[in-house]
C-alpha cells in the first residue's frame, strides 16, 4: 500500500510508498527509521485514521481501501488502541478518572463500569489511586503521559500502538514505562507496535523490527538480524544498542563476543569469563 499526503492537490507529497508487511497477533514489533521516514504515517493506517491512497490495509477481518467509508470503523478503533506522540496533549477532562473513562463510555460502556476501568488502569500504569480525582493538568508531564496511556488501555484494545511513548521522559521514567508495556505483552499477550528511536529498547523488548527509510519499508527481521550489520545501519542513519556498541569497543581491545550481545545480560554473561569474573558468586 501507499499513502500520499494531500493526494490530488498541488501540495501532494511524501507519506509512504509500496509498504507491504504483516504484523502478527501477539507480536512485539518495533518500527525504526530516521525522522520523516514514514513511521507515524504507517501507524495511523493501523486503525484507519489514514486510509491508503492505493492498495489495501487488512486489520483483523476488515479490509481498508481508499474508498472505505468512515462509518463502521468504530469497532476497529476500539480494537487498535493508538497512543500518539506526546499523548498528554490530548487530555481534556476535569478529572483523571473522567478522562480515562471517556473512551470506554464513548464505546458504550456504562459510566460506573468505565470509572471502575479508570481505577484499574491508573494502577496498571503505576500511578497512585489519589490521582483519579485530580485535574490531569495538575500532574507532571510524565504522569500526564501515563494518564493518556491509561485512557487507551481502558478501551481494552487487542493491539496497542505506541508512537515514541517515552520521548522526553528521564531514563527512570522511560524504563518504568517500557517495563509496563513488556508486562502487558508477556502476561496478557498484548500485541504491541512501537515506534522508537531507542535502539536499546528495540533490543530489549521487540521480537520483530521494521526499518523505514524515505517512506519505504527497507528491511524486516528480528533485532539480532537487524543489528547484525553495523555498516548498513550507519548508512541508514541508525545505530546499535549500547551493549553492542560497548562490545565493539571491547573487541578492538582484544575481547571476543559471539553472538553480538544485544542486552545487558548477554553482555555480562560473555564478558565476565573473559575478565576472570566467571568464578565469582
Ligand atoms: N500532515 C502532513 N502533511 C504533509 N506531509 C506530511 C504530514 N505528516 C507527515 N508528512 C510527511 O510524510 C513523511 C513521513 O512522515 P512521518 O511523520 O510519518 O515520519 P516519522 O518517521 O514518523 O518521523 P519522526 O521520527 O520525525 O516522527 C515526511 O516526509 C513528512 O514530512
Ligand atoms: Mg513520527
Amino acid at each position: 500500500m501507499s499513502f500520499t499526503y494531500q493526494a490530488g492537490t498541488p501540495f501532494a507529497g511524501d507519506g509512504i510508498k509500496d509498504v507491504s508487511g504483516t504484523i502478527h497477533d501477539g507480536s512485539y514489533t518495533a518500527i525504526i527509521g530516521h525522522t520523516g521516514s514514514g513511521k507515524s504515517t504507517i501507524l495511523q493506517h493501523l486503525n484507519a485514521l489514514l486510509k491508503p491512497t492505493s492498495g489495501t490495509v487488512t486489520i483483523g477481518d476488515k479490509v481498508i481501501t481508499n474508498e472505505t467509508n468512515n462509518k463502521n470503523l468504530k469497532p476497529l478503533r476500539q480494537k487498535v488502541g493508538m497512543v500518539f506522540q506526546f499523548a498528554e496533549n490530548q487530555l481534556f477532562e476535569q478529572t483523571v478518572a473522567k478522562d480515562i473513562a471517556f473512551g470506554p463510555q464513548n464505546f458504550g460502556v456504562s459510566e460506573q463500569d468505565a470509572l471502575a476501568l479508570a481505577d484499574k488502569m491508573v494502577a496498571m500504569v503505576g500511578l497512585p489511586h489519589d490521582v483519579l480525582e485530580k485535574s490531569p493538568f495538575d500532574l507532571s508531564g510524565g504522569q500526564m503521559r501515563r494518564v493518556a496511556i491509561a485512557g487507551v488501555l481502558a478501551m481494552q484494545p487487542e493491539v496497542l500502538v505506541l508512537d515514541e511513548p517515552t520521548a522526553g521522559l528521564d531514563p527512570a521514567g522511560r524504563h518504568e514505562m517500557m517495563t509496563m508495556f513488556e508486562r502487558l505483552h508477556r502476561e496478557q499477550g498484548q500485541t504491541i507496535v512501537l515506534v522508537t528511536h531507542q535502539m536499546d529498547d528495540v533490543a530489549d523488548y521487540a521480537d520483530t523490527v521494521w526499518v523505514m527509510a524515505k517512506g519505504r519499508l527497507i528491511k524486516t527481521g528480528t533485532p539480532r538480524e537487524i543489528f547484525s550489520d553495523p555498516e548498513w545501519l550507519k548508512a541508514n542513519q541508525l545505530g546499535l544498542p549500547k551493549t553492542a556498541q560497548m562490545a565493539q569497543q571491547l573487541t578492538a581491545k582484544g575481547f571476543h563476543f559471539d553472538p553480538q550481545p544485544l542486552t545487558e545480560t548477554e553482555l555480562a554473561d560473555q564478558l565476565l569469563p573473559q575478565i576472570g569474573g566467571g568464578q565469582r558468586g
Side-chain angles (χ1 to χ4, degrees), residues 1 45-48 50-52 55-59 62-65:
M1 51 75 65
H45 282 81
L46 299 180
N47 73 350
L50 295 178
K51 288 174 243 168
T56 61
V57 177
T58 306
I59 307 155
K62 189 127 185 106
V63 180
I64 309 290
T65 71

Side-chain angles (χ1 to χ4, degrees), residues 18-179:
D18 301 327
V19 171
S20 176
T22 303
I23 290 167
H24 294 280
D25 202 20
S27 68
Y28 194 136
T29 302
I31 304 182
I32 61 176
H34 195 245
T35 180
S37 60
K39 304 180 297 294
S40 297
T41 306
I42 287 198
L43 291 193
Q44 289 171 74
H45 282 81
L46 299 180
N47 73 350
L49 277 177
L50 295 178
K51 288 174 243 168
T53 308
S54 65
T56 61
V57 177
T58 306
I59 307 155
D61 54 10
K62 189 127 185 106
V63 180
I64 309 290
T65 71
N66 194 241
E67 269 78 51
T68 301
N69 199 304
N70 273 334
K71 280 185 210 160
N72 310 322
L73 290 180
K74 219 170 171 182
L76 191 68
R77 302 267 158 83
Q78 186 274 321
K79 223 182 258 190
V80 183
M82 183 85 57
V83 177
F84 293 96
Q85 277 173 285
F86 299 100
E88 60 274 22
N89 294 339
Q90 288 166 11
L91 301 176
F92 66 98
E93 281 281 10
Q94 292 148 311
T95 68
V96 167
K98 281 187 191 169
D99 212 298
I100 299 173
F102 176 83
Q105 278 182 274
N106 195 27
F107 284 86
V109 174
S110 72
E111 185 181 3
Q112 195 184 353
D113 289 351
L115 289 171
L117 276 169
D119 208 309
K120 184 173 154 199
M121 295 309 161
V122 144
M124 180 95 84
V125 298
L127 288 172
H129 188 259
D130 68 4
V131 301
L132 281 165
E133 293 313 313
K134 289 187 181 165
S135 161
F137 305 103
D138 288 338
L139 306 179
S140 74
Q143 288 176 322
M144 286 171 75
R145 176 91 47 96
R146 283 163 192 256
V147 170
I149 292 170
V152 174
L153 292 176
M155 317 259 279
Q156 301 177 289
E158 288 173 29
V159 181
L160 185 59
V161 177
L162 304 161
D163 200 347
E164 299 189 46
T166 63
L169 300 184
D170 61 25
R174 202 182 100 196
H175 181 76
E176 270 177 43
M177 193 162 285
M178 291 311 298
T179 311

